[in-house]
Amino acid sequence: MGNADYDEYPPVEGPVDRCRHGVAVPPPRPFLKSLKNSLMETFFPDDPLRQFKGQPRSRQLVLGLQYVLPILEWGPRYTLEFLRADLVAGVTIASLAIPQGISYAKLANLPPILGLYSSFVPPLVYAMMGSSRDLAVGTVAVASLLTASMLGKEVKASENPTLYLHLAFTATFVAGVFQASLGLLRLGFLVDFLSHATIVGFMAGAATVVCLQQLKGILGLTRFTHETDVISVMHSVFSQTHEWRWESGVLGCCFLFFLLLTRYFSKRRPKFFWIAAMAPLTTVILGSLLVYLTHAEKHGVPVIGPLKKGLNPPSGMDLAFGSPYLTTAIKTGIVTGVIALAEGIAVGRSFAMFKNYHIDGNKEMIAFGMMNIAGSCTSCYLTTGPFSRSAVNFNAGCKTAVSNIVMAIAVMFTLMFLTPLFHYTPLVVLSSIIIAAMLSLIDYEAAIHLWKVDKFDFVVCMTAYIGVVFGSVEIGLVIAVAISLLRVLLFVARPRTFVLGRIPNCNAYRNIEQYPTAKNAPGILILEIDAPIYFANAGYLRERISRWIYEEEDRLKASGEANLQYVILDMGAVGGIDTSGISMLEEIKKTIERRDLKLGLANPGSDVMKKLSKSKFVENLGQEWFFLTVEQAVEACNFKLHKCKVDAKNGESDEKWNNV
């Protein structure tokens, strides 16, 4: 195509694009402008500043405050009807937040009162800064387990509780700074490296580990392993059979059965969602009454004990920046912060999709970060948006984040007046609540779906699960992320190439494996490259294209068809190319020419064409060998083949005439 006159080509069957234009080389752009556009696309794909354009300064100030504090945007439109719905939702999630908060704090080896503290201040901060209407803020089991596992390796909570507590506050502060920094620097795409398959496997593995850890409370054991792998846990359980308390076991199984039964009923009858939501608090009340009336704490049923009354005491001065274990706190904060972000944003987006509104991932990161920074200074540990609490909030009909404010007020009331009532709450009830909540995180249906759709994703999922269950939470996470990154690298380093053929009765050229009826163009090999061409895959593509040529020549020789004359590379999916990729094309050109073949490129993109032009590859190959479409490339090659046959026939006639 290019400089050739397209009207010289003979007509072919079916409609053909009679475009006269060649492949254009885009005009040069200044480097700084190109760099600016690339950075804008990377960090500001949603163009958050567009709402400020053309606005007066006063309006820009208001919009800026609304961007930082979304409550200023929807607050003026708040109605009494919304308040009624949010009151019901807030009280409902408070009934779940109170027992869960106490339970998860025990799971993190922290004082139980910290679970209530963490359900007071962070939800208030999120209500002002968060963009989700449905997310209910609080502590989560996985982050609690990670805190206990990672900090517990260096400092034992039972031996040095004060230092352990200060390290937990420090880890929460680090997590908050890390989360807010990701949001401010627009680096939210880094969290996307935790793929859906990774999260499914990791959450299921962590839930399994958490359930196994609760056997300590169910069986009434006083000594238990600090390891989280299944082998260590089961060894600890069955090596202490003489320590098992049947009273605790019976009580735990009864409460667990009650919790699972209420959840099953609420799933079957969604209108009665409040039954499952109220079940944890009901078990706490019933368990406390049972222990109080029967004095079961004197018969091997351990209880929570006294809880301090009052609101969150300040803890800003307790952050252990001068501790020799600061590195451990930083590592714990970053790991738990990433997990909390991944869970919270995923949950928020899921419920936003149901209600057809959008949440800003970067704003969510800033909100999570600020609420954890504030929490670390007010005796809280890591919080995010747990699925179970958010699901209850959603089903309760919440309208805005005011439901979090209502929940915080309910928790505040509990802290000021009701904490003595939890003195007789048996630990076995807390274990039952945790197990019931964790079983919902073992999403076997999602794993089955991964197996049906993508076997590699299933392998990633199971690797994460096995790594967590048989290794540790950190090992499982690292292995799963490593495999996910390996998959990305394989996609880049080993891109797919396809042979294209013409579909009968039309001029479309498609993958012959996908469309078995597609026919190869006689004497022409058409290859599609399905990825950008960079240094990581240039060598592979050179070898793979050469192999396609050898295989096509062998096929034509075996079938007795016309010899291969042209190789066309469909570059439509090649979004970019670097100098290694250009060198690869130059080598392919030389290889093809040594075999008396000609190379053509179809549909090269703007960036590709610009670099090929600057590198003189366009000049070396010839502008006429660049085509807008595969159809035009095939038509041009057919014309040249036809012309060669005519010239050869004319030459043969001239030779016969001369011989005469």
Side-chain angles (χ1 to χ4, degrees):
M1 219 352 237
N3 298 331
D5 186 359
Y6 190 82
D7 285 339
E8 293 179 1
Y9 301 155
V12 296
E13 296 179 5
V16 177
D17 181 11
R18 309 298 295 175
C19 179
R20 295 174 178 270
H21 295 285
V23 178
V25 178
R29 300 176 66 185
F31 171 73
L32 291 179
K33 186 175 181 180
S34 298
L35 179 62
K36 177 185 176 182
N37 289 338
S38 298
L39 292 176
M40 287 293 292
E41 287 300 317
T42 301
F43 297 105
F44 301 95
D46 55 342
D47 190 15
L49 301 179
R50 66 184 181 278
Q51 59 181 330
F52 296 92
K53 296 176 182 177
Q55 299 289 343
R57 288 299 179 94
S58 58
R59 179 58 180 167
Q60 288 181 349
L61 178 61
V62 172
L63 291 174
L65 290 174
Q66 290 178 348
Y67 185 83
V68 176
L69 300 172
I71 193 173
L72 298 178
E73 192 271 327
W74 54 262
R77 303 194 308 269
Y78 198 73
T79 64
L80 186 61
E81 182 183 352
F82 284 3
L83 179 60
R84 284 197 295 265
D86 287 335
L87 277 174
V88 173
V91 172
T92 305
I93 57 176
S95 67
L96 180 64
I98 292 169
Q100 276 192 351
I102 295 173
S103 304
Y104 293 158
K106 290 290 293 182
L107 180 61
N109 292 329
L110 293 168
I113 194 67
L114 259 68
L116 296 181
Y117 291 160
S118 301
S119 295
F120 174 47
V121 173
L124 295 176
V125 176
Y126 182 83
M128 293 185 292
M129 302 188 69
S131 59
S132 173
R133 307 171 192 166
D134 304 282
L135 210 64
V137 172
T139 56
V140 287
V142 175
S144 301
L145 176 66
L146 277 168
T147 300
S149 173
M150 299 181 73
L151 293 181
K153 289 182 179 179
E154 301 293 337
V155 179
K156 297 291 185 285
S158 57
E159 298 173 2
N160 197 339
T162 302
L163 177 59
Y164 183 88
L165 180 62
H166 293 175
L167 290 176
F169 292 152
T170 307
T172 302
F173 179 83
V174 171
V177 171
F178 179 72
Q179 292 170 334
S181 300
L182 288 180
L184 289 171
L185 297 176
R186 313 288 293 183
L187 297 176
F189 61 87
L190 295 177
V191 180
D192 293 335
F193 281 102
L194 285 174
S195 65
H196 174 67
T198 300
I199 293 175
V200 169
F202 176 79
M203 288 297 185
T208 302
V209 168
V210 170
C211 290
L212 292 174
Q213 287 279 336
Q214 299 317 300
L215 292 176
K216 173 186 177 181
I218 295 292
L219 299 175
L221 300 176
T222 55
R223 293 180 295 106
F224 207 70
T225 180
H226 293 287
E227 302 296 328
T228 59
D229 63 283
V230 62
I231 296 176
S232 299
V233 171
M234 298 312 294
H235 177 268
S236 182
V237 169
F238 288 102
S239 64
Q240 302 183 73
T241 52
H242 58 286
E243 298 283 346
W244 291 7
R245 298 283 185 176
W246 68 267
E247 303 94 338
S248 181
V250 170
L251 196 61
C253 291
C254 290
F255 282 126
L256 179 60
F257 176 77
F258 171 73
L259 291 169
L260 295 178
L261 183 63
T262 56
R263 175 182 297 170
Y264 176 78
F265 179 77
S266 294
K267 281 187 176 181
R268 295 293 298 270
R269 302 292 180 88
K271 291 183 179 180
F272 295 95
F273 68 92
W274 53 270
I275 293 179
M278 298 292 291
L281 185 59
T282 303
T283 58
V284 168
I285 295 172
L286 293 177
S288 300
L289 286 174
L290 185 62
V291 170
Y292 178 77
L293 295 175
T294 62
H295 303 288
E297 77 278 10
K298 299 178 181 179
H299 301 283
V301 179
V303 297
I304 290 179
L307 295 178
K308 292 189 299 181
K309 291 174 61 176
L311 299 181
N312 302 32
S315 58
M317 302 302 296
D318 296 333
L319 301 179
F321 292 122
S323 171
Y325 303 106
L326 178 61
T327 303
T328 302
I330 292 174
K331 184 175 71 171
T332 303
I334 291 175
V335 172
T336 54
V338 170
I339 295 300
L341 273 183
E343 180 176 359
I345 292 177
V347 171
R349 284 176 176 170
S350 299
F351 290 115
M353 181 181 65
F354 285 124
K355 288 189 176 179
N356 195 27
Y357 69 92
H358 173 72
I359 66 170
D360 187 328
N362 288 293
K363 288 169 68 174
E364 287 294 282
M365 291 179 185
I366 296 173
F368 287 163
M370 295 308 297
M371 76 182 186
N372 280 313
I373 292 173
S376 67
C377 298
T378 52
S379 300
C380 306
Y381 78 106
L382 189 76
T383 54
T384 184
F387 177 79
S388 58
R389 203 175 301 183
S390 300
V392 170
N393 195 32
F394 176 83
N395 290 327
C398 70
K399 298 297 183 182
T400 67
V402 170
S403 60
N404 277 289
I405 299 176
V406 174
M407 177 188 70
I409 293 173
V411 172
M412 178 191 71
F413 183 82
T414 302
L415 285 168
M416 294 179 66
F417 304 108
L418 303 181
T419 49
L421 300 179
F422 294 97
H423 181 283
Y424 292 100
T425 300
L427 297 183
V428 65
V429 169
L430 303 184
S431 296
S432 302
I433 292 172
I434 292 175
I435 292 175
M438 290 300 97
L439 289 177
S440 62
L441 293 182
I442 304 177
D443 195 350
Y444 64 89
E445 292 181 351
I448 294 173
H449 179 72
L450 290 174
W451 171 259
K452 292 179 179 178
V453 176
D454 192 324
K455 301 295 190 294
F456 195 97
D457 266 352
F458 177 80
V459 170
V460 172
C461 174
M462 294 309 299
T463 302
Y465 180 83
I466 293 171
V468 171
V469 172
F470 290 95
S472 66
V473 176
E474 306 96 286
I475 290 175
L477 182 61
V478 169
I479 292 176
V481 172
I483 292 180
S484 296
L485 291 176
L486 177 62
R487 185 179 192 184
V488 173
L489 293 175
L490 286 176
F491 280 152
V492 174
R494 294 294 182 267
R496 296 182 179 182
T497 56
F498 308 103
V499 175
L500 303 184
R502 181 182 174 186
I503 298 179
N505 301 321
C506 70
N507 286 319
Y509 287 81
R510 296 294 183 267
N511 180 6
I512 60 175
E513 291 185 1
Q514 183 180 1
Y515 298 91
T517 58
K519 303 297 182 182
N520 297 81
I524 306 172
L525 174 62
I526 310 169
L527 298 176
E528 178 184 355
I529 301 175
D530 198 24
I533 304 175
Y534 296 127
F535 65 93
N537 59 27
Y540 167 78
L541 286 173
R542 180 182 61 250
E543 301 301 328
R544 191 65 187 93
I545 292 172
S546 298
R547 202 172 96 203
W548 278 121
I549 295 173
Y550 301 148
E551 291 174 353
E552 181 68 7
E553 288 182 330
D554 292 341
R555 186 187 69 82
L556 294 175
K557 187 180 295 183
S559 62
E561 298 179 35
N563 293 333
L564 184 64
Q565 300 290 329
Y566 299 97
V567 177
I568 299 172
L569 298 182
D570 183 0
M571 307 284 283
V574 180
I577 192 169
D578 65 358
T579 53
S580 298
I582 296 172
S583 298
M584 182 275 293
L585 290 179
E586 291 173 347
E587 292 180 35
I588 288 294
K589 174 180 175 292
K590 293 176 182 178
T591 301
I592 287 176
E593 288 177 346
R594 283 197 298 267
R595 304 180 72 86
D596 293 327
L597 306 176
K598 291 297 292 183
L599 174 66
L601 301 184
N603 194 24
S606 171
D607 185 63
V608 173
M609 199 63 188
K610 180 173 62 177
K611 292 182 179 179
L612 292 181
S613 176
K614 288 183 177 181
S615 66
K616 305 298 183 182
F617 182 81
V618 174
E619 182 180 328
N620 293 335
L621 182 62
Q623 180 72 36
E624 69 274 11
W625 292 103
F626 287 82
F627 306 92
L628 285 176
T629 64
V630 173
E631 293 85 350
Q632 291 182 5
V634 172
E635 188 175 352
C637 292
N638 283 334
F639 172 72
K640 293 179 185 296
L641 284 173
H642 176 74
K643 187 176 180 181
C644 289
K645 289 179 181 179
V646 172
D647 291 344
K649 186 178 293 185
N650 291 337
E652 182 180 344
S653 300
D654 292 343
E655 185 178 352
K656 288 181 179 180
W657 179 259
N658 291 333
N659 290 335
V660 172

